[in-house]
Amino acid sequence: MGNVTRHALRVYAALSELKGNDSDVLDALIPFFEPVLQLMNGKIFDPRVFSAGIRKLYKWRFTGDVAESFVPRLERKGFLRKEAAGVWIVQHQGNASETSSSIVASFEQILDEFVSFPPRVTDLLTYDRNRDELADLLIRFLVSMDSSGNGAYMPQLGGLEPAGEAQQLLSELEEGGRPLDSSDRYMCARFVRYLMRNRPDLSVHLARLSSIALLTEVVEDFVKPTHIEQKTDLTVVLDAPIALDLLGCSGKAFQDDIGTIVASLQAIGAKFVVFPVSCVEMQRNLRSMLALPAELRRGYTHNALIRREVSLDFVTAVANNPERALENAGVTVRPLSLADFPAFHRYFTAEQYEDFFQSIQWGNLIQAREHDATCAALVMRLRQGRHSSDVFKCRYVMVTRNPTFVRQARTYALESRMITSIQEGPIIHQRELATAAWLRTGLGGHESIPRNHLLMTCDRVLQVRPEVRNALAAQLERITPERLQQLNLLMLDARSVQKLADKTLNMEAVVTADNAEHLLEAMREATAEELKTRHEAELESERIAAVSYRTEVSATIDRLSGELAAAKAKEAEFEARERGLLNAALIKVNRTANRVEWFVASGLVVLALAGAINFFTGWFQGDPVWNTIVVTAGGLSVIRLIFALLEKPMPGLATLLNGYTKIALNKQLQLRGIGVEAADRVVIKGGRIKLIEPSSEG
């Protein structure tokens, strides 16, 4: 295991310990310095020698001034002992700490996955690396997080290397920090993507290791502030490609990366704007891509389209009106041109604009070079000469993904004496902004920033290079030109494009006449596999939906059955209660009717006996009461005779009792709180009330 790997794992441990406390985060980088400190043990600490050793090991832009800024930290950690004013002695023995066994165990698990990974990617190339080599490659990729290999590992600074005894001392250090070659970089990016998707339990370690790359950004050129910022008036100007990233036109990884940075900085008051000239640049870039035939399109937006991470309609809408799209995303378009605010022109004159424009050597279009020169001039003018080594105190800064633009703008500002060597240039790289967002808004609160930045870096590495497609097209045209159209169609499918990049590790030199047919077939199989996977996923989705529907229907039936049973039980309970109350009312009314009938019957019997006595004895003869009774009985007899002759029923006591019981029943029902409709469940006959028995049907 190489020095970089061992030190990176110890930095990882230091970062884990720093989470949530107020320690200086730059202290976590000290394990990287130990090889140089070990060589200097017992000697006077010389910042020039120390910085030269760091540059040799890691190729960081580490100067003597940066080395001096680390003196208090090294003294606190016990690596330096103050001998006299301005003199420190290096003491290294016993200071090295061992890496936590749990961290080593986690990294070993990651390596187990990495060792078995290459065969999954390509069978065309022999990617032969042993376990230790894979460990060093992965660590170097993570701690540089640089797709082109020119970021964290920078060339040595000429004219700063010590000579004599110091040079002889440094010769004992291994030469390190060389950029990864393209195949190693591609394999590392592919593996990181795989692990992030398939092993979330291990991916957290990759994200933490990648945060070391953000720390190295802090010591590039000079040590930048690392304290937490509570409030800022910084306005960040987005370059055209970054603005497209934020809108989602470049794909999910790019949008998530800049999105987390924007959100964290907005939380402390930072504002994000876009210049009108960048809106024109956005429009030109998108329209140029859309104007090409689909098989000839290239770039991040095209790749996002074939991966279906953004729709063609949305990209077209952004191309037609980027200002509205930005405003909908919460980004202000700042109306400003080179002619505005003449009083500010002295901070970047028209002559300086022309001079800077002439120095721009990147980009094929004059409009693109004019865009970059205009943005640099506008930022410098808006600053009004207020520069700082702290990006949060600069008031205005522009963020870009173009490292050449960053370097040239800073160099020009330095040479024109607009800024000093320790002050921030007008243009910064996106990684520097990510570092500021991660460190300055709270180390523990934004771990998604290094994670998303790592995923974006992998996405950049894994974009298939046009040269690879062109090489395959050239070989096919030479041997089987009729299959060029098939290649063009396959290049519109994300799975086949990824397969081409995997098979060749994104290197056009791999494509030959012997393997061109094999590559095309692999691309076709990848598309077929995707269609098969998609079809199986759809079938599985339909099956799950059907099972879910059946389960839902069954649950609904069970629920309704339960509710029906409960309702029937409740109805039966109510019916029983009502029947009991109704029965009690019937008993009371019938009892009264029985008494009335008995009383009447008894009266008639008495009258009959009195009539018999009077017939034999004549005792009641002439009595007016008796005469009234006799007359009444006679009248009733005549009436009954008439009804009999007419063959009609004559109302009697039963009819009277029927009327009485009906009235009495309704009263009893009201007293017991039963609705009068319950009377429909009884029959009144012969002066009595009977309950109708419920039918046994149903």
Side-chain angles (χ1 to χ4, degrees), residues 195-221:
L195 209 67
M196 287 285 194
R197 290 173 178 168
N198 297 281
R199 291 294 304 272
D201 57 319
L202 296 177
S203 64
V204 64
H205 302 297
L206 298 182
R208 181 60 62 84
L209 284 166
S210 71
S211 64
I212 297 172
L214 301 184
L215 283 181
T216 62
E217 180 69 41
V218 180
V219 295
E220 290 278 336
D221 294 325

Side-chain angles (χ1 to χ4, degrees), residues 200-314:
D201 57 319
L202 296 177
S203 64
V204 64
H205 302 297
L206 298 182
R208 181 60 62 84
L209 284 166
S210 71
S211 64
I212 297 172
L214 301 184
L215 283 181
T216 62
E217 180 69 41
V218 180
V219 295
E220 290 278 336
D221 294 325
F222 51 86
V223 178
K224 299 170 185 176
T226 59
H227 59 272
I228 294 178
E229 197 72 28
Q230 302 296 335
K231 195 70 177 174
T232 182
D233 62 351
L234 177 67
T235 297
V236 180
V237 182
L238 300 178
D239 194 8
I242 302 289
L244 289 174
D245 293 351
L246 184 61
L247 293 177
C249 292
S250 305
K252 187 176 185 304
F254 288 82
Q255 185 178 33
D256 288 346
D257 182 36
I258 189 63
T260 53
I261 295 170
V262 169
S264 62
L265 293 180
Q266 283 178 334
I268 61 171
K271 299 179 181 62
F272 288 82
V273 303
V274 172
F275 290 145
V277 67
S278 293
C279 292
V280 175
E281 182 80 356
M282 294 166 63
Q283 196 170 52
R284 181 169 56 249
N285 290 345
L286 292 180
R287 286 181 174 177
S288 298
M289 186 272 295
L290 294 172
L292 292 172
E295 64 272 13
L296 297 180
R297 293 173 182 171
R298 301 291 180 267
Y300 297 128
T301 300
H302 170 67
N303 290 325
L305 284 170
I306 65 175
R307 290 197 303 264
R308 299 181 180 87
E309 293 180 352
V310 66
S311 70
L312 181 60
D313 289 341
F314 179 75

Side-chain angles (χ1 to χ4, degrees), residues 77 163 332 373 379 454 487 527 664:
K77 294 289 186 179
T332 303
V379 170
L454 174 60
L487 172 63
T527 302

